[in-house]
Amino acid sequence: EAQVTQNPRYLITVTGKKLTVTCSQNMNHEYMSWYRQDPGLGLRQIYYSMNVEVTDKGDVPEGYKVSRKEKRNFPLILESPSPNQTSLYFCASGQVGEKLFFGSGTQLSVL
Amino acid sequence: QKEVEQDPGPLSVPEGAIVSLNCTYSNSAFQYFMWYRQYSRKGPELLMYTYSSGNKEDGRFTAQVDKSSKYISLFIRDSQPSDSATYLCAMSDYKLSFGAGTTVTVRA
C-alpha cells in the first residue's frame, strides 16, 4: 500500500530536549516536505527536499533541521525545542508540481 | 499579503445544500490548482487537481479556476454529513502554497 509513515503520532517533551520525527515513503517520490499546522494559520512549509542530499528552507525553517540521505526518508530534527514549536506536523511526498501524499501527522507538545 | 487567501468560514449547511468554497491568489506563476480535504486530526488528502482555467467535475465535486481573476472555487453538490471536514486550497509553481482552510459542517 502506497503511504507516508510518520512517527511518533504523539510526542510530549520539555524545552531544550532534542527530538527527531521520522518520515518514510514507499512511492519512490523525489519530493518530500515538512509542514506545521496551527489554528488559523493553515499549513506552513518548514523544509522541503527535491531529491537525495538536496534540501531547502520553506516559510518557517527557524529551529528545525532536516536531512535527506536516502530517497525514502526525510526526518525532521528539533535540536532545542521551544514551546512555540508546539504544533501538528505533517510530512508529505510527491512528484514536483503534482499532488502530495500526506502522513497521518505528529502532534508535538513542548512544555 | 499572503500568496493564497481562503475564505475563513466556518460554514454550516443542511444536508443536501450546495457548498461553495473560494480562494484568491496573487502569484501569476501558479500553474497547478488543488483542493485537499482534511478530517479532524488526519493528514490532508487530495480531492481535486487541475492545471487549466475552467471547470472540472468529479461526482458531486466541481473545481473552477479563473486564472485571469486569480480565483478558484470548489462546489459540493448534494452535501452529506460525511463531507464535514476542513477544505484546503493549494497552488503550485514548483512549490505548493496552501490556503488557511475552511471548516465545513453538514447538518443531518
Side-chain angles (χ1 to χ4, degrees), chain B:
Chain B
Q1 184 191 3
K2 291 182 186 176
E3 273 193 317
V4 180
E5 298 277 2
Q6 182 169 358
D7 289 352
L11 287 180
S12 179
V13 300
E15 184 174 357
I18 294 175
V19 176
S20 174
L21 303 166
N22 304 298
C23 289
T24 57
Y25 63 95
S26 56
N27 186 349
S28 301
F30 286 143
Q31 300 177 53
Y32 306 99
F33 304 90
M34 287 151 269
W35 286 93
Y36 283 81
R37 178 175 61 195
Q38 184 178 21
Y39 292 114
S40 182
R41 294 300 183 190
K42 302 287 188 185
E45 55 181 344
L46 185 70
L47 201 56
M48 299 286 284
Y49 174 91
T50 183
Y51 53 86
S52 59
S53 280
N55 292 351
K56 180 177 182 179
E57 271 194 36
D58 185 359
R60 296 184 295 109
F61 298 90
T62 299
Q64 190 174 78
V65 174
D66 183 344
K67 287 188 178 180
S68 62
S69 301
K70 296 190 181 68
Y71 187 90
I72 73 169
S73 299
L74 178 71
F75 300 98
I76 308 173
R77 290 185 301 280
D78 187 27
S79 57
Q80 304 294 310
S82 59
D83 295 325
S84 297
T86 297
Y87 291 81
L88 301 154
C89 63
M91 307 171 192
S92 172
D93 40 11
Y94 67 93
K95 186 166 89 76
L96 202 57
S97 297
F98 284 88
T102 304
T103 298
V104 175
T105 301
V106 180
R107 308 185 306 271

Side-chain angles (χ1 to χ4, degrees), chain A residues 4 6 23-24 32-35 74 89-93 101-103:
Chain A
V4 178
Q6 281 179 244
C23 175
S24 179
M32 296 186 75
S33 183
W34 276 102
Y35 294 87
F74 190 46
Y89 291 85
F90 288 103
C91 179
S93 75
F101 294 84
F102 284 83

Side-chain angles (χ1 to χ4, degrees), chain A residues 30-35 44-62 64-68 74-76, chain B residues 94-95:
Chain A
E30 293 176 347
Y31 181 87
M32 296 186 75
S33 183
W34 276 102
Y35 294 87
R44 293 182 293 167
Q45 191 176 48
I46 303 170
Y47 270 94
Y48 65 97
S49 170
M50 303 287 273
N51 213 325
V52 176
E53 302 289 3
V54 180
T55 62
D56 209 346
K57 295 176 181 179
D59 300 314
V60 288
E62 294 78 21
Y64 304 94
K65 284 176 57 177
V66 293
S67 70
R68 187 93 182 272
F74 190 46
L76 178 70
Chain B
Y94 67 93
K95 186 166 89 76

